[in-house]
Amino acid sequence: MTSPVRFALTTPLYYVNDVPHIGSAYTTMVADAIARFHRLKGDDVLFITGTDEHGQKIQRTAQEKGVVPQVHCDEIIGSFKDLWQHYNIQYDRFSRTTAPNHAKIVAEFFQRVWDNGDIYLAQQQGWYCVACEEFKEEKDLIEDHHCAIHTNKQAEWRDEENYFFRLSKYQAQLEALYQENPDFIQPASRRNEVINFVKQGLQDFSISRVNLDWGFPVPTDENHTIYVWFDALLGYVTALLEDGEEVSLENALKKWWPINLHLIGKDILRFHAVYWPAMLMSANLPLPDKVFGHGFLTKNGLKMGKSLGNTIDPIALVNQYGADALRYYFLKEVELGKDGDFNETRFVNVVNADLANDLGNLLNRTLGMLKKYCKSEIPALDLATISADHPLKALGETLGDRTCAAYDNLNFTAACQQVLALIQASNKYIDDRAPWALFKAGEQAQVEEILLTILESVRLAAYLLSPVIPNLSNQIYRQLGFPGDFNRPEDLVNLAPFASHSRWGLPWSERTLTKAQPIFARLEVPEASA
Ligand code: MSP
């Protein structure tokens, strides 16, 4: 037997200056759906998320609260883990940059870069945005030296001695990387953005800070603290260590490196697509396969922010609507890579139309007819004998391949739309064929064929949408009498193997239906936004 494909992916390691917001939930939902798709296929998956806990921003937040930074971090990470549970996120590793293992990995990596002659001491002068944890060029600042991203915050003038990383040395190597690996940065618009940035000429960047205690000391000079981004990116590597394993770069890298996919928001593209590969080149390590920069969410068309008073609380939202509805909306309606909007009325309308009406009612209606016309017994019919021009068979037979290709391309919108097209075709098929009239006319065989081909289409839809709406898929599989739990992919591989379950036309002879129940209750449009 061939060994399973390895697939390792990461979300950003989120800052713990505050409780998580909908933006972090969005990235993590997408990453979870990708991880679930790979697990469904039987791949060996490692899904890493976590938190970025050092640096001035966190130190100041803790000071304002009157607690030491570690206490603050320990408190906040609980809210991240809790949120991931609510959204049914199945991460494998939670990487904290304050984890004891991490210090050693950072020190070892720093030493490699140092030994390669890529670190030197020099004077750093410039405007520093603490919220971005980044020095800004004048052109990146707006009026009164406010940061263009954190418009309510003024960047701070710094004039200090820092250690620098020789990014400029990697200019040609980076350009070659982007040319030779067109998929390294996706989508194409972000790739162009990075190529244009690099073309302007790369400047070395400082990787240490003075007058900051909250972080790791520079191994060669205790007066300096390692820059939070240098430390945080390596959190992806520390996460690869197995429990109890001796902490070394070599051990961390031996099974899962290189990471297949770093999923990030467009705000932190430069760090992942320029600085990170250059750091890895300097340490003489292989590079990740892909960096995907997704877009930003707005609310009712407006940028979200605390100062604007229009943030979305991801916990309140999931408590009100449940994980599957939100996952479906964000994955289908926000085209991955583009900016997307959350509007509560639109959200309710989309999930009601697709999940309650098209999918839920179809299942319910079909099971109702099966009860009435076939005493709830599964028709003894071999789907392989159905003619190839049967509309649902014709669509269904290619659906698995088409949907998988869409998932592989991280095109969740297309994946959901393709599956929905089969569901809509099934609804139309019932209306066109009117099994109630055929039943009256005594055409039992035709009724049975219609109902079974629809149930098989619903089953296939549930299977293919399981990375997005695992709980709903589970309910459908149970009602149809198929084994397997989409929240337990390790079981699924045996109970519902991908090769057969991702295709239209499974044998149904051994199935026993369980009690039909509505799978998705219609959501109400909230009054305030109705
Ligand atoms: N700590 C760094 C990442 C270090 S990775 C080694 C960081 N953290 S963050 O908490 O600010 O998270 C940034 C990420 O949150 C973005 O890249 C994006 O994934 C997500 N989002 C934050 N706001 C967002 C929106 N409004 N919309 C969508 N996602 C956004 O940067």
Side-chain angles (χ1 to χ4, degrees):
M1 234 178 89
T2 51
S3 51
V5 175
R6 271 191 315 101
F7 191 85
L9 79 163
T10 67
T11 70
L13 305 185
Y14 302 109
Y15 285 130
V16 290
N17 56 311
D18 208 345
V19 292
H21 49 73
I22 194 70
S24 0
Y26 173 63
T27 317
T28 315
M29 275 184 254
V30 175
D32 183 66
I34 300 170
R36 282 174 182 268
F37 169 65
H38 281 273
R39 292 195 197 104
L40 194 67
K41 286 202 296 184
D43 295 350
D44 198 6
V45 173
L46 192 79
F47 170 15
I48 298 165
T49 187
T51 42
D52 182 355
E53 306 184 13
H54 287 135
Q56 196 141 34
K57 173 151 82 170
I58 311 298
Q59 189 177 35
R60 283 187 186 171
T61 311
Q63 257 159 11
E64 281 160 22
K65 265 174 68 179
V67 295
V68 293
Q70 190 65 64
V71 169
H72 164 76
C73 296
D74 292 350
E75 266 172 35
I76 296 280
I77 70 139
S79 49
F80 276 90
K81 290 188 172 173
D82 185 45
L83 185 67
W84 303 152
Q85 203 172 357
H86 278 78
Y87 278 85
N88 204 357
I89 306 293
Q90 294 186 322
Y91 59 85
D92 298 296
R93 304 272 163 91
F94 192 98
S95 186
R96 296 185 62 178
T97 56
T98 56
N101 284 350
H102 188 52
K104 178 132 192 275
I105 294 293
V106 174
E108 208 185 318
F109 188 92
F110 187 97
Q111 194 63 45
R112 277 196 181 217
V113 177
W114 177 273
D115 292 346
N116 201 17
D118 285 342
I119 296 175
Y120 64 93
L121 197 59
Q123 198 68 18
Q124 167 81 64
Q125 281 187 329
W127 294 98
Y128 192 73
C129 171
V130 175
C132 292
E133 293 281 12
E134 188 180 17
F135 276 102
K136 298 284 174 181
E137 290 181 30
E138 288 277 351
K139 68 174 172 42
D140 295 326
L141 296 172
I142 54 173
E143 211 176 310
D144 210 14
H145 294 107
H146 280 235
C147 164
I149 299 172
H150 301 95
T151 46
N152 58 340
K153 300 219 168 71
Q154 197 171 28
E156 299 171 15
W157 177 252
R158 299 279 164 89
D159 184 356
E160 58 190 39
E161 214 173 40
N162 284 171
Y163 284 96
F164 280 73
F165 171 67
R166 271 186 226 285
L167 180 65
S168 54
K169 180 174 150 188
Y170 294 94
Q171 168 100 25
Q173 253 173 281
L174 286 168
E175 282 174 337
L177 166 73
Y178 309 142
Q179 284 313 320
E180 288 157 20
N181 303 278
D183 287 346
F184 178 68
I185 305 167
Q186 284 194 340
S189 55
R190 307 254 183 269
R191 175 171 181 262
N192 294 337
E193 208 179 287
V194 170
I195 290 176
N196 288 334
F197 168 74
V198 173
K199 212 187 279 167
Q200 290 161 27
L202 290 174
Q203 289 179 8
D204 299 348
F205 69 98
S206 71
I207 55 164
S208 78
R209 298 289 178 265
V210 285
N211 307 319
L212 170 72
D213 311 326
W214 187 233
F216 298 129
V218 166
T220 50
D221 184 345
E222 297 239 318
N223 295 323
H224 287 254
T225 298
I226 293 186
Y227 174 41
V228 58
W229 268 101
F230 191 92
D231 154 354
L233 287 160
L234 286 161
Y236 296 143
V237 172
T238 304
L240 304 177
L241 282 165
E242 300 296 331
D243 255 356
E245 193 172 31
E246 196 203 327
V247 182
S248 70
L249 257 184
E250 194 190 344
N251 277 342
L253 298 170
K254 71 181 178 223
K255 174 163 183 200
W256 291 99
W257 191 261
I259 301 272
N260 300 84
L261 171 68
H262 290 304
L263 181 71
I264 55 164
K266 63 181 180 181
D267 53 332
I268 52 176
L269 188 61
R270 225 174 260 183
F271 292 100
H272 286 80
V274 184
Y275 295 9
W276 181 224
M279 284 164 59
L280 291 163
M281 286 169 180
S282 170
N284 202 15
L285 295 176
L287 306 183
D289 289 347
K290 189 181 288 185
V291 174
F292 192 105
H294 67 66
F296 256 44
L297 299 178
T298 52
K299 184 181 174 191
N300 302 328
L302 298 173
K303 188 179 162 191
M304 273 181 280
K306 265 201 198 152
S307 52
L308 298 165
N310 68 343
T311 51
I312 298 173
D313 173 4
I315 278 277
L317 202 63
V318 75
N319 282 339
Q320 185 171 358
Y321 294 118
D324 279 16
L326 290 162
R327 293 169 65 106
Y328 183 78
Y329 177 83
F330 283 116
L331 284 153
K332 173 176 175 249
E333 292 295 307
V334 180
E335 221 177 296
L336 192 68
K338 303 224 171 103
D339 290 344
D341 191 48
F342 183 78
N343 169 283
E344 208 159 350
T345 304
R346 183 157 152 258
F347 156 72
V348 167
N349 289 338
V350 166
V351 297
N352 277 346
D354 295 2
L355 302 181
N357 294 356
D358 287 352
L359 179 62
N361 282 354
L362 174 67
L363 175 65
N364 219 255
R365 226 173 139 196
T366 314
L367 290 178
M369 286 190 271
L370 198 77
K371 186 170 176 195
K372 218 162 149 189
Y373 307 142
C374 311
K375 303 193 188 75
S376 286
E377 271 170 29
I378 307 251
L381 176 70
D382 181 357
L383 291 172
T385 62
I386 305 264
S387 108
D389 60 4
H390 182 290
L392 303 185
K393 183 171 182 172
L395 254 187
E397 280 204 316
T398 58
L399 185 65
D401 288 342
R402 286 183 288 124
T403 308
C404 289
Y407 278 132
D408 274 326
N409 291 327
L410 306 186
N411 190 344
F412 292 94
T413 303
C416 292
Q417 280 169 347
Q418 285 163 3
V419 177
L420 196 67
L422 178 66
I423 294 301
Q424 287 166 343
S426 303
N427 278 307
K428 181 170 182 302
Y429 185 60
I430 297 194
D431 296 341
D432 289 350
R433 299 294 313 271
W436 44 91
L438 292 168
F439 180 73
K440 268 196 195 149
E443 299 287 355
Q444 185 66 18
Q446 286 195 50
V447 171
E448 290 182 3
E449 183 186 303
I450 295 166
L451 297 184
L452 191 66
T453 54
I454 290 170
L455 289 181
E456 172 59 1
S457 301
V458 175
R459 181 208 61 77
L460 180 63
Y463 188 84
L464 294 174
L465 284 181
S466 68
V468 180
I469 47 169
N471 294 338
L472 275 179
S473 296
N474 266 345
Q475 290 187 58
I476 296 174
Y477 251 50
R478 284 195 196 124
Q479 289 194 27
L480 296 181
F482 281 86
D485 178 345
F486 291 101
N487 288 317
R488 293 185 59 83
E490 62 279 23
D491 291 359
L492 265 187
V493 173
N494 296 319
L495 295 172
F498 185 77
S500 53
H501 281 244
S502 63
R503 307 229 156 268
W504 197 94
L506 266 191
W508 277 69
S509 51
E510 319 235 304
R511 306 291 144 222
T512 316
L513 301 175
T514 65
K515 193 171 173 328
Q517 274 167 343
I519 53 161
F520 190 88
R522 282 181 69 80
L523 303 178
E524 294 299 324
V525 180
E527 275 182 25
S529 57

